């Protein structure tokens, strides 16, 4: 769907525009962090927006770049907020990578740079992983060479969030990619910055993945937002016949909105997380501009004629 002029706030739509918008999508794909909750807060009444969507007959799924949080932790948090969500409604990079590897019938050893929960998902799926080094090495070329050079038959390198990322891990990953021209490079989350609190960002996994892409000359298969391969995977496994009848909801322009637009989905930006109104108004790239925006998903309940109820 092409954006026509500036994005519109959903609560400023006319009654005719509102009815046309609500009737234009059957499925909602939503981000989680910054949309429902973050590390330090829960978005007030956002859960009411999802309940209203479900009551309106919309299919709701969640697509997050956060694989550090386990599926069990995620589902418990949904339940705590009073939202019933099944495991098959939640998509994250580790799960998407498992599906992708199965689709291509991948066999072989994987070198992985990621969090422990991320690795656990792949191990539980039956894949053989190699990681490390997980300890400090002596700062000498001799010690480095012993750490990064080996004869392991690695057929894929995967990189996602790793809070213990080190130079030797990147050097080792690069070595595997350069030694085997057929070795796959697969990326999870692409975020260049991770918003951990209002106005506080830390470096995300994106820049580190970019180092491997630039150094190896390979294009990564990206199974986090805004990866094209993730979009193809979702469309296939969710049996989406008409992408234009999907609404992508998120709080990040570069991840959520760009992802939605390149998949052919409609897009709704919420200002409850990583993007401010000032940043939205300053954005000029058509690929990053949403079709609509809202203060939060709570506005969706009001749009659908429901009065959000305060939570204790």
């Amino acid at each position: 769907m092409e954006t026509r002029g500036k994005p519109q706030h959903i609560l400023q739509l006319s009654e005719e525009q509102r009815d046309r918008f609500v009737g234009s999508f059957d499925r909602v794909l939503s981000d989680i962090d910054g949309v429902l909750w973050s590390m330090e807060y829960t978005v007030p009444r956002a859960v009411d927006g999802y309940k209203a969507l479900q009551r309106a007959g919309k299919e709701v799924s969640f697509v997050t770049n956060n694989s550090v949080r386990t599926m069990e932790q995620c589902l418990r948090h949904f339940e705590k907020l009073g939202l019933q969500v099944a495991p098959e409604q939640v998509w994250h990079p580790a799960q998407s990578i498992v599906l992708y590897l199965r689709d291509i019938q991948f066999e072989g050893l994987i070198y992985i740079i990621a969090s422990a929960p991320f690795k656990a998902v792949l191990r539980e799926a039956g894949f053989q992983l190699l990681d490390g080094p997980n300890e400090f090495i002596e700062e000498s070329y001799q010690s480095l060479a012993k750490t990064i050079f080996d004869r392991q038959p690695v057929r894929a390198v995967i990189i996602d969030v790793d809070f213990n990322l080190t130079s030797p891990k990147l050097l080792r990953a690069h070595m595997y990619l350069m030694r085997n021209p057929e070795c796959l490079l697969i990326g999870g989350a692409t975020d260049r910055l991770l918003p951990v609190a209002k106005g506080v960002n830390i470096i995300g996994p994106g820049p580190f993945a970019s180092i491997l892409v630039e150094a190896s000359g390979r294009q990564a298969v990206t199974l986090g937002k805004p990866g094209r391969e993730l979009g193809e995977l979702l469309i296939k496994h969710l049996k989406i016949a008409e992408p234009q009848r999907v609404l992508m909801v998120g709080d990040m322009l570069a991840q959520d909105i760009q992802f939605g637009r390149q998949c052919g989905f409609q897009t709704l930006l919420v200002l409850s997380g990583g993007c401010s109104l000032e940043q939205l108004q300053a954005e000029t790239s058509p690929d990053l501009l949403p079709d609509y925006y809202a203060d939060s998903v709570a506005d969706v309940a009001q749009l659908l004629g429901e009065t959000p109820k305060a939570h204790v």
Side-chain angles (χ1 to χ4, degrees):
M1 180 177 184
E2 293 296 325
T3 297
R4 295 180 294 274
K6 295 181 179 179
Q8 293 179 280
H9 194 293
I10 60 172
L11 297 184
Q12 295 175 355
L13 297 175
S14 67
E15 184 175 352
E16 180 184 352
Q17 289 173 322
R18 180 200 65 197
D19 292 343
R20 187 165 60 244
F21 169 54
V22 172
S24 69
F25 62 92
D26 310 302
R27 178 184 289 277
V28 175
L29 299 180
S30 176
D31 185 29
I32 297 176
D33 293 274
V35 179
L36 260 167
W37 65 71
S38 73
M39 288 179 60
E40 64 170 10
Y41 64 89
T42 296
V43 178
R45 300 187 302 277
V47 69
D48 293 325
Y50 294 102
K51 289 181 177 180
L53 286 165
Q54 291 172 333
R55 282 191 286 268
K58 311 299 183 183
E59 293 187 73
V60 178
S61 299
F62 296 91
V63 185
T64 175
N65 275 4
N66 188 343
S67 293
V68 176
R69 183 191 301 113
T70 66
M71 178 67 77
E72 292 73 20
Q73 290 171 331
C74 194
L75 294 177
R76 283 200 302 269
H77 206 148
F78 279 123
E79 186 175 4
K80 181 180 178 182
L81 295 178
L83 192 62
Q84 295 303 310
V85 176
E88 58 269 21
Q89 289 177 264
V90 182
W91 293 73
H92 56 73
Q95 174 205 23
S96 299
I97 287 173
V98 165
L99 286 176
Y100 175 80
L101 292 174
R102 286 174 174 167
D103 280 356
I104 66 172
Q105 300 181 323
F106 177 87
E107 294 182 358
L109 184 61
I110 297 170
Y111 177 69
I112 188 165
I113 300 173
S115 65
F118 191 110
K119 295 174 197 175
V121 171
L122 271 78
R123 287 195 177 101
E124 289 167 8
F127 293 102
Q128 184 183 3
L129 305 184
L130 177 69
D131 61 11
N134 296 311
E135 64 283 327
F136 287 110
I137 67 170
E138 179 186 345
E139 293 185 345
S140 70
Y141 284 112
Q142 183 179 15
S143 177
L144 180 64
K146 290 180 180 179
T147 301
I148 67 172
F149 292 109
D150 61 35
R151 297 183 179 276
Q152 295 280 6
V154 170
R155 296 194 58 226
V157 169
I158 294 175
I159 182 167
D160 190 74
V161 176
D162 181 355
F163 295 142
N164 293 291
L165 180 64
T166 60
S167 174
K169 289 182 180 180
L170 288 174
L171 293 173
R172 194 174 181 188
H174 178 252
M175 181 271 298
Y176 291 130
L177 290 167
M178 299 310 294
R179 190 177 65 189
N180 178 7
E182 302 301 317
C183 183
L184 299 175
L185 174 57
I186 300 175
T190 62
D191 309 59
R192 303 196 73 78
L193 292 172
L194 295 176
V196 295
K198 274 291 186 182
V200 180
N201 298 321
I202 61 174
I203 297 174
F208 303 116
S210 295
I211 290 173
L212 290 180
V213 169
E214 182 178 347
S216 67
R218 306 284 184 85
Q219 286 300 314
V221 174
T222 304
L223 290 158
K225 297 172 295 182
R228 175 180 53 82
E229 294 85 359
L230 173 61
E232 293 171 352
L233 195 74
L234 286 169
I235 288 171
K236 174 184 176 181
H237 285 271
L238 292 177
K239 297 180 173 58
I240 297 172
E242 298 179 89
Q244 71 275 15
R245 293 196 62 81
V246 175
L247 178 67
M248 179 69 211
V249 180
D251 68 309
M252 300 287 283
L253 296 176
Q255 275 71 44
D256 304 312
I257 302 308
Q258 184 176 8
F259 175 68
R261 292 193 66 82
Q262 72 180 8
C263 290
F265 305 152
Q266 297 186 62
T267 52
L268 170 63
L269 177 77
V270 291
L271 304 176
S272 52
C275 182
S276 67
L277 179 59
E278 291 73 23
Q279 289 171 316
L280 171 60
Q281 291 173 334
E283 185 56 62
T284 58
S285 171
D287 293 336
L288 301 180
L289 281 173
D291 297 300
Y292 305 95
Y293 75 99
D295 294 342
S296 80
V297 181
D299 289 345
V300 173
Q302 186 175 340
L303 178 79
L304 293 173
E306 300 189 14
T307 302
K309 296 178 181 178
H311 291 288
V312 178

